[in-house]
Amino acid sequence: MDPAAQEEAGGVDAVRTAVRSRLRGTVIDIAPVFGFTLTFALTHRLGIALTLAFTAGAGAFVHRLVRREPVGRALAILGLVCVQGALAARTGQATSFFLPHLVLHCAMAVAAPVLILLGWPPLGVMVGLVTGERTAWRRCAVRRRAFARGSLVLFTGNVLMLTVQLPLFLSGQAVALGSVDVFGPLVFALGALLGWRVYLRALGGHRCDAGLRADGDVSAEAYLSADADLNAGPARPAGPARPGDPTHLTHPKHPTHPASPMERTVR
């Protein structure tokens, strides 16, 4: 099997595995938001809703620790829940609980086009981190353009979420805002999956050089092979052998070696 095709197949499997893992983790990530929204919709009491949200966040943190998942992600989720609860408790408004998510979506909506124009499409950055390729994909112009098209899918999904969330936040509809916010991680995961499909379609049958390693350097074998091809030059067609042509006179003891001028004179 072609090494480049085998490496790309491994990258596809890694991305699919990451998307499936993200979809499974979405259920845990939305537990605090879902608990807060459901409790506030039933009781309309902010204190009870915040208590349940903190409890769900702590439960998600313990669950990730038991499963030995990265501690950083578990701490990030728990810290985000604490920030959301602090904002809602200070303002006394249930809609303030969803303010960090709105700020995050706004930042992503602004940063995505800028990153695409700078040649750093967000989808390419995420895929590089997942597959271990890091930034080697930026050396291929075809892949950069394909990742840029895929990143537009992520950008579109993020903008659609903002167009629904911002009016609900400004009008103070906490329950409706929470119901939409629950689908935020799911929309992001599906956007990444659709963006990956767009990337593969835009990439077509393109294959990058097999000599490019993950760190962006060229391997010694690829370099020597290319150098030998350049030094060899175009092959000349073989003509008929002439008796006086020195290239057809060989050493008597070494037939593969051409004879010297002195040996040709003696003979």
Side-chain angles (χ1 to χ4, degrees), residues 15 116 120-128 131 133 137-138 140-154 195-196 198-200 202-203:
V15 171
I116 293 175
W120 290 89
L123 184 62
V125 176
M126 291 189 299
V127 171
T131 60
E133 188 183 14
W137 54 270
R138 297 192 70 251
C140 178
V142 177
R143 296 187 67 191
R144 285 202 309 269
R145 290 193 294 267
F147 275 128
R149 294 182 181 180
S151 297
L152 291 177
V153 179
L154 285 175
W196 175 251
V198 172
Y199 161 77
L200 293 179
L203 194 63

Side-chain angles (χ1 to χ4, degrees), residues 53-68:
F54 286 135
T55 303
F61 177 77
V62 174
H63 175 77
R64 293 187 184 279
L65 290 182
V66 171
R67 292 177 59 89
R68 296 186 177 181

Side-chain angles (χ1 to χ4, degrees), residues 4-169:
Q6 186 176 6
E7 182 179 358
E8 183 176 352
V12 171
D13 294 337
V15 171
R16 289 177 178 174
T17 302
V19 171
R20 294 192 188 100
S21 176
R22 179 59 181 169
L23 289 175
R24 289 193 298 266
T26 297
V27 179
I28 302 175
D29 294 341
I30 66 176
V33 177
F34 179 77
F36 177 86
T37 304
L38 181 61
T39 305
F40 187 79
L42 296 176
T43 64
H44 293 282
R45 298 182 62 178
L46 184 59
I48 298 177
L50 289 177
T51 301
L52 188 57
F54 286 135
T55 303
F61 177 77
V62 174
H63 175 77
R64 293 187 184 279
L65 290 182
V66 171
R67 292 177 59 89
R68 296 186 177 181
E69 297 183 5
V71 180
R73 181 176 177 181
L75 288 175
I77 297 297
L78 184 60
L80 181 61
V81 174
C82 293
V83 172
Q84 291 176 298
L87 289 174
R90 183 169 183 176
T91 60
Q93 300 292 330
T95 53
S96 299
F97 184 84
F98 308 101
L99 183 59
H101 287 173
L102 288 175
V103 174
L104 180 60
H105 290 164
C106 291
M108 292 174 60
V110 174
V114 176
L115 291 175
I116 293 175
L117 292 177
L118 294 177
W120 290 89
L123 184 62
V125 176
M126 291 189 299
V127 171
L129 294 176
V130 170
T131 60
E133 188 183 14
R134 297 184 181 180
T135 60
W137 54 270
R138 297 192 70 251
R139 294 181 174 270
C140 178
V142 177
R143 296 187 67 191
R144 285 202 309 269
R145 290 193 294 267
F147 275 128
R149 294 182 181 180
S151 297
L152 291 177
V153 179
L154 285 175
F155 173 73
T156 302
N158 194 27
V159 171
L160 289 177
M161 286 289 296
L162 282 176
T163 56
V164 177
Q165 288 178 309
L166 281 177
L168 295 176
F169 177 80

